[in-house]
């Protein structure tokens, strides 16, 4: 990557990080609008109306969608056919762009440098949680979640027996959502990682938030639909006040696992599922 490419990368990550504070991706806004049209529960309707007004107000001002502007969770996917990538320089540019967005935008300072004893605020929202993977193709794709912790605290892991099967997975997800109740500010988005090891399932559950494909294996797309239906039947509803819209979407990513286990991890995002991506086609912007 040339210096000019890195400079454009840093500028685009900065611009999108500032914008993501107050502008939801179009598909997420549409999902909320669709939920409002279908919802007839009196209390849930009030919540969805408030969310809709909130989205409009944030879009027309510098005010963030939510006071918890989250922690940066970053996934860098590097195409195996991309040109040489200086990972140290790439990471420095990403961190610089996100740090500048915190400084120039309306980010709440929400990160502590040490988690147990001192818990002193870094005042920069650093460190960002940066993950790397290789993928097919020649592009480098940087995806960023602004992960609020009202929903993050509701993450759940179930280490199922290998015989649990589809029904065991559905019950595990519903159990995690039922335990969360109204705490993650529903209607929520569900990222579900299945397989691997416990830590890998957790990674997949975060990565699933970026997923927009339909599974080639129809069993998994059917499983997503069944989970969504069963979760919405829990009746938690918008704001935890009841109704038929507890979750707006459920996305699954899976990998192989050991014969003795079936890990299932559920990450939850509130209705303000703030995310963005920057693509370097062929390793260049």
């Amino acid at each position: 990557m040339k210096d000019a490419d890195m400079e454009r990368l840093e500028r685009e990550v900065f611009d999108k990080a500032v914008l993501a504070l107050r502008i939801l991706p179009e598909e997420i806004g549409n999902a909320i609008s669709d939920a409002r049209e279908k919802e007839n529960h009196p209390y849930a309707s009030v919540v969805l109306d408030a969310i809709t007004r909130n989205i409009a107000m944030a879009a027309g001002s510098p005010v963030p969608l939510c006071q918890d502007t989250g922690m940066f969770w970053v996934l860098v996917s590097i195409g195996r056919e991309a040109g040489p990538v200086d990972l140290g320089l790439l990471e420095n540019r990403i961190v610089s762009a996100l740090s500048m967005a915190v400084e120039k935008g309306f980010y709440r300072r929400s990160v502590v440098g040490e988690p147990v004893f001192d818990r002193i605020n870094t005042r920069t929202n650093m460190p960002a949680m940066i993950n790397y993977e290789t993928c097919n193709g020649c592009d480098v794709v940087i995806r960023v979640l602004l992960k609020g912790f009202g929903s993050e605290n509701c993450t759940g892991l179930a280490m199922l027996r290998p015989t649990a099967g589809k029904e065991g997975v559905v019950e595990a997800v519903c159990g995690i959502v039922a335990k969360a109740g109204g705490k993650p500010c529903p209607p929520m988005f569900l990222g579900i990682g299945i397989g691997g090891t416990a830590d890998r399932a957790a990674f997949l559950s975060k990565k699933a938030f970026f997923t927009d494909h339909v599974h080639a294996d129809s069993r998994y797309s059917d499983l997503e639909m069944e989970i969504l239906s069963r979760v919405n039947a829990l009746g938690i509803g918008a704001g935890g006040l009841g109704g038929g819209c507890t979750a707006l979407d459920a996305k699954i990513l899976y990998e192989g696992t050991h014969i003795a286990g079936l890990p299932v991890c559920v990450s939850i995002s509130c209705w303000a599922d703030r995310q963005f991506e920057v693509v370097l086609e062929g390793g260049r912007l």
Side-chain angles (χ1 to χ4, degrees):
M1 294 183 185
K2 298 180 180 179
D3 288 343
D5 297 326
M6 286 293 188
E7 289 175 4
R8 288 196 295 273
L9 162 72
E10 185 172 346
R11 185 165 58 250
E12 187 166 351
V13 172
F14 166 78
D15 289 341
K16 290 189 174 183
V18 171
L19 195 64
L21 279 174
R22 59 186 187 84
I23 305 292
L24 285 176
E26 183 178 1
E27 62 274 15
I28 293 174
N30 290 340
I32 294 170
S33 296
D34 291 344
R36 176 61 189 94
E37 290 180 7
K38 297 173 183 176
E39 184 60 76
N40 54 21
H41 187 283
Y43 301 140
S45 296
V46 171
V47 172
L48 290 168
D49 284 340
I51 289 172
T52 301
R53 289 195 302 271
N54 187 96
I55 292 171
M57 290 173 64
S61 75
V63 177
L65 285 156
C66 175
Q67 80 278 6
D68 182 358
T69 55
M71 190 173 191
F72 294 117
W73 192 90
V74 184
L75 175 59
V76 182
S77 302
I78 302 171
R80 296 183 182 91
E81 299 175 16
V85 178
D86 185 329
L87 292 182
L89 181 57
L90 178 63
E91 182 168 309
N92 286 341
R93 291 286 188 168
I94 293 171
V95 170
S96 175
L98 295 177
S99 298
M100 184 165 52
V102 172
E103 183 64 29
K104 302 295 184 181
F106 285 81
Y107 277 85
R108 187 181 75 182
R109 291 357 185 220
S110 302
V111 176
V112 298
E114 184 279 320
V116 178
F117 299 102
D118 299 326
R119 291 189 65 87
I120 296 173
N121 198 306
T122 65
R123 306 298 300 169
T124 61
N125 279 10
M126 294 293 120
M129 302 293 104
I130 303 180
N131 305 267
Y132 295 90
E133 68 172 6
T134 56
C135 60
N136 294 329
C138 58
D139 297 340
V140 176
V141 183
I142 300 160
R143 299 180 177 93
V144 182
L145 284 175
L146 277 57
K147 193 65 183 69
F149 259 62
S151 58
E152 182 66 11
N153 287 337
C154 296
T155 301
L157 173 68
M159 301 300 289
L160 305 180
R161 295 178 180 178
T163 54
K166 182 188 76 169
E167 185 60 27
V169 171
V170 174
E171 289 182 357
V173 175
C174 288
I176 290 166
V177 174
K179 182 179 179 181
K183 292 193 291 293
C185 297
M188 62 188 77
F189 293 86
L190 304 177
I192 304 164
I194 304 176
T197 51
D199 59 309
R200 187 64 178 178
F203 166 79
L204 292 172
S205 73
K206 285 288 197 304
K207 183 180 175 182
F209 285 127
F210 301 116
T211 303
D212 58 6
H213 69 269
V214 176
H215 283 282
D217 186 337
S218 62
R219 295 174 299 177
Y220 279 90
S221 56
D222 290 345
L223 182 56
E224 290 173 339
M225 294 303 296
E226 181 171 351
I227 287 172
L228 187 60
S229 176
R230 294 270 291 272
V231 163
N232 283 329
L234 294 172
I236 296 168
L241 299 178
C245 186
T246 297
L248 295 166
D249 202 2
K251 289 295 185 181
I252 295 173
L253 288 179
Y254 71 91
E255 289 183 353
T257 192
H258 193 276
I259 59 172
L262 176 52
V264 178
C265 186
V266 180
S267 285
I268 299 176
S269 177
C270 68
W271 63 266
D273 186 19
R274 300 153 297 181
Q275 55 178 269
F276 66 89
E277 73 173 37
V278 175
V279 180
L280 290 77
E281 296 181 356
R284 300 184 63 181
L285 283 168

